[in-house]
Amino acid sequence: MSAGEVIRIVDVAVVGAGSMGSMALWHLAKSTGLSVLGIEQYGPAHGHSAFAGESRLFRAANKEGALYTTAALEARALWTELERESGRQLLLKTGVLAVAPEGHPFLESTRRSISDGDLPHRFLDAAELRREYPQFAIEDGDAGVMDVLGGGLRSELAVATAQRAAIRRGAEILYNTPVLDIEESGDGVAIRTSAGMIHAQRVIVTTGAWTTRIVPELRDLVSAIAIPLTWFMPEDITQFAPDRFPCWMRDMDGEHAFGVPSLDGYSVKIAPTTDIEVIDDPATDPRELSREQLRECTAIATRMFPGILPEVVRSSIHPESTTVDHVPILDVSESGRIVIGAGFSGNGFKFSPAYGRVLAELAESGSSPLQHPLFTLDHHRRRARARADDLVLADDYPVLQGH
C-alpha cells in the first residue's frame, strides 16, 4: 500500500496516543456521532515516550501556584472516573510530601497554593518529619508540607487504560504507524502516514518530543529535552512500601529530587534533577545516563536517604517537549483544524485527563472553559518576541520545575 493511498476518512484524528493523546481519544469517544482515530508511531504504552518509567507524581497543591490548581482538581476527578470505568487502580492515594529548608521558595509557593485553593494538608516541623518519616535525612530547620489529595500515578498503565477505554467506546487506534507530515486543505487535513493517507476534518497533535517534526512552524516555541529517572535499592524495602511512605519531593543543599514508594517490591524511585539538555533526535538521543551522571544521582540520593544502597539499580531516559518557560501549549490553529498539545516539560502527566478534555473540546467546538490564556499560541508567540527584544511581560509567572 502506498503512502498516497487514502485508507481512512474521519471526523477527528489524534496524532500521538500517549499521555495527552490517549486522554483526548477517551474524551472524544464519549461524543456521539464522531468518528475518531488515533495514530501512534509505536505500540500501546511503549517505552519510548515521556510517560514511561513506571510512575509519576500527582499534586493538587502545586509549587507553581494557583495557575494549575483548577486543572489538578479536574484531573483528579477524571482519574477517579477512569478508574471506575476500567476497574484498574491508577492513582495511589499516598499524599505528596514536600520537604525543604523552612522558607524555601518551593515550600512557600506550595503553601500559597494550599491557602489559595483551600486544599487539605498537613504542615510538619523537623521533629515531626523525623518521627513520622525516618526514611529521610532531616536537618534542623527543615519543614514539610503534606498535600493530602496528592499521590502517585501508574503512568504506562494509565495510558494503556485510556487507550482501551477509548476503543471500547468506539474509537480506533492505528499502532506502529508513523505520521510523515500533515497538511491543511480546503476541506480538512491530509495526514500522510507510513500506511497511507488519512483525511480528517480536524487533527489533534500530541506527539511530545516529535512535535516540531509534525508542526515545524512551532520550532521557535517548542524544543525536545531528555528527562532521566533513577531507582535505588533500600536496605529495608518495607520502609518504602506505599502504606508506610508517601510520594515526595525533596530540596536539600541546592538539589531537587522527587520519588514514589516501591511498586516492584525491591527498588524505590528516587530521581534527582540532573542536567536536561535539548536533544536533536528524540528516537535515539540520548538513551542512557553516563557513569558520571549515575554517580551524581547516587551522591544526591544517599544524602537525602541514608538507608539506601549507594548504586543506581535501574535508570531510564525519556524524551519530552518543553517551552522556554515550561508552560504548556493547548490551543487551536487559526483555521480551527489543527489542535496543539505540546510543551509539557515533564510536568504534564498529572494533568493529562484534564488537558485531554481541553484538547477534545478545542477539536469539537474551538473553545474550552479549562483553556487558560497563558496556554495559547498567541501568548507563547508574544513571549518569544519579548525574549528576542529582551523585554519582561507583565504576566510573568513561576517557572515550572518538573514533577
Side-chain angles (χ1 to χ4, degrees):
M1 182 179 293
S2 72
E5 182 179 346
V6 176
I7 60 171
R8 296 285 195 286
I9 299 175
V10 297
D11 292 316
V12 183
V14 179
V15 180
S19 305
M20 305 301 159
S22 65
M23 298 298 173
L25 285 164
W26 177 49
H27 287 296
L28 286 166
K30 300 176 186 179
S31 300
T32 58
L34 278 181
S35 55
V36 180
L37 175 69
I39 312 169
E40 170 56 51
Q41 66 174 327
Y42 296 110
H46 55 85
H48 304 279
S49 64
F51 65 77
E54 179 198 74
S55 54
R56 294 293 185 274
L57 294 191
F58 174 84
R59 292 181 284 126
N62 285 276
K63 63 183 182 293
E64 298 80 21
L67 170 64
Y68 297 94
T69 302
T70 299
L73 295 178
E74 173 74 8
R76 195 176 194 275
L78 290 168
W79 283 119
T80 301
E81 179 183 334
L82 184 56
E83 285 183 320
R84 283 198 305 266
E85 182 176 326
S86 65
R88 305 298 297 267
Q89 183 188 26
L90 307 175
L91 177 61
L92 308 173
K93 297 177 181 178
T94 65
V96 173
L97 177 65
V99 180
E102 183 65 68
H104 191 282
F106 287 156
L107 211 59
E108 293 305 302
S109 59
T110 300
R111 286 171 171 161
R112 285 194 299 271
S113 178
I114 286 171
S115 177
D116 292 343
D118 192 25
L119 301 173
H121 64 277
R122 287 187 63 209
F123 295 145
L124 298 92
D125 60 23
E128 291 169 318
L129 288 169
R130 289 190 181 106
R131 182 172 63 252
E132 297 186 34
Y133 300 106
Q135 301 90 340
F136 288 96
I138 300 298
E139 300 180 332
D140 293 341
D142 279 343
V145 178
M146 174 64 80
D147 173 8
V148 173
L149 293 181
L153 291 162
R154 303 295 299 267
S155 51
E156 289 102 334
L157 177 61
V159 168
T161 298
Q163 291 173 357
R164 299 305 301 173
I167 291 169
R168 283 195 303 270
R169 289 178 174 269
E172 184 183 1
I173 302 178
L174 298 179
Y175 293 111
N176 299 302
T177 305
V179 169
L180 306 178
D181 58 53
I182 62 175
E183 183 177 354
E184 293 191 54
S185 60
D187 59 349
V189 183
I191 307 164
R192 189 165 62 95
T193 79
S194 60
M197 293 293 293
I198 296 166
H199 282 277
Q201 290 298 306
R202 292 169 299 282
V203 173
I204 298 175
V205 178
T206 51
T207 50
W210 288 263
T211 296
T212 57
R213 292 189 180 183
I214 307 301
V215 190
E217 54 266 35
L218 295 181
R219 284 176 181 153
D220 61 333
L221 305 180
V222 177
S223 57
I225 56 173
I227 298 179
L229 300 174
T230 49
W231 288 257
F232 292 81
M233 186 183 298
E235 293 180 2
D236 182 1
I237 193 63
T238 65
Q239 291 293 314
F240 292 86
D243 60 347
R244 300 184 68 173
F245 190 61
C247 297
W248 56 273
M249 295 182 298
R250 178 68 162 118
D251 288 275
M252 182 180 188
D253 300 332
E255 304 289 353
H256 177 82
F258 86 99
V260 174
S262 178
L263 300 179
D264 59 18
Y266 85 97
S267 69
V268 59
K269 177 183 278 187
I270 301 173
T273 298
T274 55
D275 289 338
I276 300 174
E277 299 179 352
V278 174
I279 59 178
D280 295 323
D281 187 348
T284 61
D285 226 10
R287 300 312 302 167
E288 61 182 25
L289 292 171
S290 69
R291 189 63 196 161
E292 181 181 356
Q293 288 173 314
L294 292 172
R295 283 195 295 267
E296 290 172 355
C297 289
T298 299
I300 295 168
T302 51
R303 284 203 304 274
M304 293 182 176
F305 295 94
I308 63 170
L309 301 181
E311 181 70 30
V312 175
V313 297
R314 180 156 60 100
S315 66
S316 55
I317 296 180
H318 307 276
E320 170 69 298
S321 65
T322 188
T323 63
V324 170
D325 301 310
H326 296 181
V327 172
I329 297 171
L330 296 165
D331 204 3
V332 62
S333 66
E334 291 183 10
S335 69
R337 296 194 181 279
I338 300 177
V339 179
I340 304 294
F344 299 102
S345 306
N347 195 61
F349 191 84
K350 66 180 73 62
F351 304 114
S352 58
Y355 287 170
R357 172 174 281 180
V358 173
L359 295 168
E361 290 172 345
L362 289 174
E364 290 179 285
S365 66
S367 64
S368 169
L370 278 174
Q371 185 197 28
H372 196 282
L374 294 181
F375 299 165
T376 62
L377 286 164
D378 179 67
H379 173 78
H380 281 271
R381 285 169 179 149
R382 287 194 301 111
R383 291 194 68 82
R385 289 194 297 270
R387 286 193 302 273
D389 295 334
D390 199 24
L391 299 175
V392 176
L393 296 184
D395 54 5
D396 274 340
Y397 40 78
V399 171
L400 287 167
Q401 182 168 336
H403 308 100

